[in-house]
Amino acid sequence: MCGIAGIASLNPSEPLPGNVSDSVTAMTDAMAYRGPNGSGIELAARSVCLGHRRLSIIDLSGGAQPMWDASGSLCVTFNGEIYNFPEIRTELEAQGAVFRTSSDTEVILESYKVWGADCLKHLDGMFAFVLWDAARQRLFGARDRFGKKPFFYTIQNGCFHFASELSCLKKIPDLQFTMDDTALMRYLAYQYVPCPHTMFKEVVQLQPAHGFLLENSQFTTFRYWELPVCSSEPVDEKEACEELERLMRRAVQSRMISDVPLGVFLSGGIDSSIVTGLMADYSETPVKSFSIGFEEASFDESSYARIVSEAFSTTHTERVLRAEECADLLPDIVSSMDVPMADASVAPQWLLAKTTREHVTVALGGDGSDELWCGYEHYIGFDLAERYNKVPGFLRRGLIEPICHHLPASSGYINPRLATETFLRAAAQPAWLRIQSMLTAFSPEMQHELLAKEDKSFLEKERLYAPSHEAYYQWPEASALDRASNTYVRGFLLDDILVKVDRCSMLNSLEVRAPFLDTKVAEFTARLPMSCKLKGFKRKYLLKKAFAGLLPQKILHRNKRGFQIPVAQWLRGRLRPLMEDLLGAGFVEKQGFFNPAVLRRMMDDHISGRKDLRVPLWTLMVFQLWWRKNVQ
């Protein structure tokens, strides 16, 4: 797990400036926390400079980067882990390859020698890398299948510039960074800027499961993998459970390969409990488990983590947070996220990573399971909306909806009124937009009122929510719920969950591995019919059935709890001064993005308790914190 950066001339015959090594060094130094164990810069050719920061995990003495092959014709800078590198190495050695190290980095070099760009089809892991092929005068790079590892780039001034973090690119002199108004609108809708876009017009993210080639002065990208479409055919549940367990055991075992201490994030939910139980089966010593608890009872699930710890005899470390502690840290954590992303659970995620890093360097987690196995309540909401819309309109509008609007409000984990209003809003949307509308901070109607700019044509639903529209219709033959699931994987998982985990872990120099996103596990899960994932109101149906013999009964049958914090309450108390500062008329008028009167009314409505506007207000505050640090 590392950080990478570099600069390459679009035309190999045109050398880079003489100070290019200083620029690349400035980029790698800016993300030293991603790789505190070492750094390297290689002027691989007159036209290519590659940089690296290393967090040593495998082959501690022999895996330094950027790494050259034995012939001196290939050079790579690599961030991540290749989990199947022992198998690939054995296959390549049978074909005559000779390895000088025991690192997975060298496996990338030797794989490219044999398979060229098709090596991506053989590599299973989380990765972002760039490889210079001197013989072909070709720059080749890629990002892993789900986008667990970040990759930002910009093409300016005749050069290709890349880095693991967007802010690193700002260390290069003379590059342009122009705020993109359409990206701001998308951010307000999604609570993140959907890949491949960023807040700056000039900067792009390489999409997951994509590679690129810079050759003959031409930059091109290509897709090398796609999540398979689910089947409509029934399956033998017993056989499916056995295969799922086999694949998960293989995925966990491969992610336990490490030359440094490792542990597991243990929330007490189904996913982390499965990973913990499987690790316990393969570990010769007690597994080190880590969890975060809250003093606020409605947000705390640490008791479940203790149940799992006792069941598998882990060495458990638990940190219980006071609301004040979390609230005070939240602004600084958000400001360090590099990109605006309004998931408030970054605070406990960051604190969990910090606590874990005090004991180990690698942690396994349950990320990806909720998206692939329909673990969120939104999946049930999507299905219920289909049925709700069949109720006669006079009953919906005249009876059900008025009752819902008078349900009690709460600043706790569950707010009945907010939940029902979110559901009703989603039920009124077309199927392709329904899932995203449950996650939206600002609807097009809200943005029309909020935004100060005159041209708001981008707020047409098909334009504003184009990423969701594209993902939904990518599987035209699948059921509506299957297609909705695809929008979750291609959007929320990529741009929220994986960004949060990557940034929070890397800020603490911790590597996090996700067995549920193993290629074979994910492909097997994706192909299963929806009835294996959501059976009536039973979420993760087959997953729970497959591991019923492993998990404690109290864990197997508990309801899912999100990793959330009491933001609604804090915005009326401890975070209120910060909110007033960031969204107050003085700051907002200077920016020119938002209507100050609308923001004042929103704050007053929330503070008074008339409305629960925790999501839109926090989304705006995150943007303001990001803007102060990166633009102002």
Side-chain angles (χ1 to χ4, degrees):
M1 191 66 64
C2 310
I4 62 173
I7 303 174
S9 175
L10 295 180
N11 185 346
S13 65
E14 295 183 5
L16 292 168
N19 64 345
V20 66
S21 293
D22 294 337
S23 294
V24 175
T25 298
M27 286 197 287
T28 57
D29 285 350
M31 52 180 168
Y33 45 79
R34 282 187 172 267
N37 302 133
S39 63
I41 302 292
E42 287 288 338
L43 196 59
R46 292 191 308 160
S47 59
V48 177
C49 186
L50 304 179
H52 188 263
R53 293 291 315 202
R54 188 184 186 198
L55 177 62
S56 302
I57 303 294
I58 294 174
D59 191 2
L60 305 186
S61 61
Q65 295 185 50
M67 180 181 287
W68 289 91
D69 75 326
S71 69
S73 62
L74 301 177
C75 185
V76 69
T77 184
F78 160 54
N79 171 25
E81 300 287 348
I82 306 300
Y83 299 122
N84 64 337
F85 83 94
E87 296 92 328
I88 297 177
R89 178 180 177 127
T90 299
E91 182 179 354
L92 293 173
E93 285 177 330
Q95 299 183 44
V98 177
F99 288 84
R100 297 168 297 155
T101 73
S102 58
S103 73
D104 53 347
T105 306
E106 193 175 8
V107 167
I108 297 175
L109 291 168
E110 296 300 323
S111 296
Y112 175 80
K113 282 184 182 179
V114 175
W115 297 303
D118 281 344
C119 69
L120 297 174
K121 298 175 182 178
H122 298 261
L123 303 177
D124 182 19
M126 54 176 179
F127 55 80
F129 69 81
V130 173
L131 184 152
W132 169 244
D133 182 342
R136 294 182 177 87
Q137 293 288 285
R138 169 197 285 178
L139 198 69
F140 163 58
R143 192 177 182 193
D144 66 70
R145 289 165 177 78
F146 286 99
K148 294 185 282 285
K149 292 293 99 187
F151 191 98
F152 295 91
Y153 68 90
T154 181
I155 298 176
Q156 298 186 50
N157 304 331
C159 292
F160 172 76
H161 314 79
F162 69 90
S164 294
E165 297 192 5
L166 189 156
S167 56
C168 296
L169 297 171
K170 301 189 78 174
K171 299 296 182 180
I172 303 174
D174 303 323
L175 291 187
Q176 297 295 313
F177 296 92
T178 310
M179 269 286 298
D180 186 344
D181 288 346
T182 61
L184 173 58
M185 295 182 196
R186 283 242 173 94
Y187 166 77
L188 294 174
Y190 284 85
Q191 302 182 67
Y192 52 76
V193 181
C195 181
H197 304 290
T198 72
M199 273 295 184
F200 298 116
K201 292 179 180 179
E202 298 86 357
V203 182
V204 182
Q205 297 184 69
L206 184 64
Q207 295 192 72
H210 276 67
F212 73 82
L213 294 170
L214 175 54
E215 193 172 20
N216 299 322
S217 300
Q218 296 294 316
F219 179 81
T220 57
T221 63
F222 60 92
R223 176 177 285 279
Y224 65 87
W225 179 83
E226 186 60 85
L227 192 69
V229 181
C230 60
S231 170
S232 59
E233 298 296 322
V235 299
D236 183 304
E237 289 189 2
K238 183 175 182 296
E239 292 181 0
C241 286
E242 291 173 351
E243 178 64 3
L244 175 60
E245 182 179 359
R246 184 188 71 83
L247 292 173
M248 276 298 296
R249 286 186 174 278
R250 171 188 166 277
V252 168
Q253 270 191 298
S254 66
R255 282 159 181 77
M256 292 177 69
I257 298 175
S258 173
D259 293 335
V260 293
L262 79 161
V264 62
F265 288 163
L266 178 56
S267 68
I270 293 290
D271 313 319
S272 64
S273 298
I274 289 173
V275 173
T276 302
L278 295 178
M279 289 180 70
D281 283 350
Y282 296 112
S283 180
E284 297 179 355
T285 58
V287 173
K288 295 181 174 66
S289 59
F290 304 89
S291 68
I292 292 290
F294 294 94
E295 289 186 346
E296 291 85 354
S298 70
F299 293 87
D300 184 58
E301 58 177 356
S302 57
S303 62
Y304 292 105
R306 289 194 291 272
I307 291 172
V308 178
S309 173
E310 291 171 6
F312 299 119
S313 301
T314 73
T315 301
H316 191 58
T317 300
E318 175 186 303
R319 182 171 179 182
V320 177
L321 301 175
R322 292 178 294 104
E324 293 82 1
E325 177 185 12
C326 207
D328 292 345
L329 286 171
L330 193 52
D332 286 340
I333 295 170
V334 167
S335 297
S336 301
M337 288 294 287
D338 188 55
V339 293
M341 195 274 290
D343 187 336
S345 66
V346 294
Q349 185 74 51
W350 184 88
L351 287 163
L352 175 61
K354 182 177 186 296
T355 300
T356 302
R357 185 62 178 89
E358 292 168 359
H359 302 270
V360 300
T361 311
V362 177
L364 276 64
D367 303 308
S369 176
D370 283 320
E371 291 76 19
L372 291 168
W373 282 99
C374 296
Y376 296 116
E377 62 272 14
H378 301 126
Y379 289 104
I380 294 176
F382 184 96
D383 200 34
L384 283 176
E386 294 286 311
R387 305 179 195 183
Y388 176 75
N389 286 331
K390 294 176 182 178
V391 175
F394 74 92
L395 285 177
R396 285 186 278 122
R397 292 185 294 272
L399 179 63
I400 299 174
E401 293 176 13
I403 291 175
C404 290
H405 291 313
H406 285 86
L407 288 172
S410 169
S411 59
Y413 179 78
I414 297 175
N415 182 336
R417 187 191 302 171
L418 180 62
T420 54
E421 289 177 349
T422 300
F423 169 78
L424 293 174
R425 182 176 66 243
Q429 301 299 327
W432 67 267
L433 186 53
R434 192 164 295 148
I435 286 288
Q436 183 52 48
S437 66
M438 297 180 194
L439 303 169
T440 289
F442 284 88
S443 66
E445 295 76 17
M446 293 173 70
Q447 289 201 47
H448 268 289
E449 189 178 20
L450 173 72
L451 294 173
K453 66 174 295 181
E454 294 183 5
D455 182 9
K456 301 174 185 176
S457 58
F458 189 77
L459 294 176
E460 297 171 4
K461 288 181 180 178
E462 286 74 11
R463 296 182 68 188
L464 181 65
Y465 295 108
S468 300
H469 191 273
E470 178 186 347
Y472 185 85
Y473 286 105
Q474 183 189 15
W475 291 352
E477 305 302 321
S479 71
L481 190 53
D482 285 316
R483 287 189 279 176
S485 174
N486 191 42
T487 67
Y488 236 124
V489 172
R490 290 172 63 93
F492 185 73
L493 173 63
L494 166 65
D495 292 308
D496 185 304
I497 300 300
L498 296 180
V499 169
K500 175 178 64 178
V501 173
D502 173 78
R503 298 304 192 279
C504 290
S505 60
M506 286 287 88
L507 284 167
N508 289 284
S509 305
L510 176 75
E511 175 174 304
V512 178
R513 301 173 175 179
F516 282 100
L517 294 179
D518 175 87
T519 302
K520 287 185 168 57
V521 170
E523 289 177 342
F524 175 80
T525 304
R527 290 191 181 99
L528 290 172
M530 183 54 68
S531 59
C532 289
K533 304 162 191 173
L534 185 63
K535 199 175 187 71
F537 290 161
K538 297 178 181 178
R539 292 171 278 176
K540 302 182 181 178
Y541 168 71
L542 197 73
L543 179 66
K544 293 179 180 179
K545 188 171 183 178
F547 292 100
L550 177 73
L551 299 177
Q553 289 299 301
K554 288 184 179 179
I555 300 301
L556 189 65
H557 300 296
R558 62 165 298 206
N559 290 324
K560 174 181 171 53
R561 293 289 301 276
F563 203 5
Q564 296 297 321
I565 53 178
V567 174
Q569 178 183 333
W570 292 349
L571 293 180
R572 297 185 179 109
R574 197 155 188 100
L575 289 178
R576 180 176 172 179
L578 178 65
M579 178 177 69
E580 298 272 8
D581 175 40
L582 292 171
L583 305 184
F587 187 32
V588 170
E589 287 174 356
K590 187 191 306 181
Q591 276 183 311
F593 294 138
F594 310 118
N595 185 326
V598 172
L599 289 179
R600 183 68 264 167
R601 187 182 71 236
M602 289 177 64
M603 288 190 285
D604 290 343
D605 283 345
H606 183 82
I607 293 167
S608 67
R610 288 190 295 269
K611 294 182 180 180
D612 185 340
L613 297 176
R614 68 179 91 178
V615 175
L617 287 172
W618 178 247
T619 299
L620 285 168
M621 290 172 66
V622 169
F623 172 77
Q624 299 293 66
L625 288 166
W626 175 86
W627 192 84
R628 271 187 173 178
K629 183 172 183 179
N630 293 277
V631 180
Q632 187 179 23

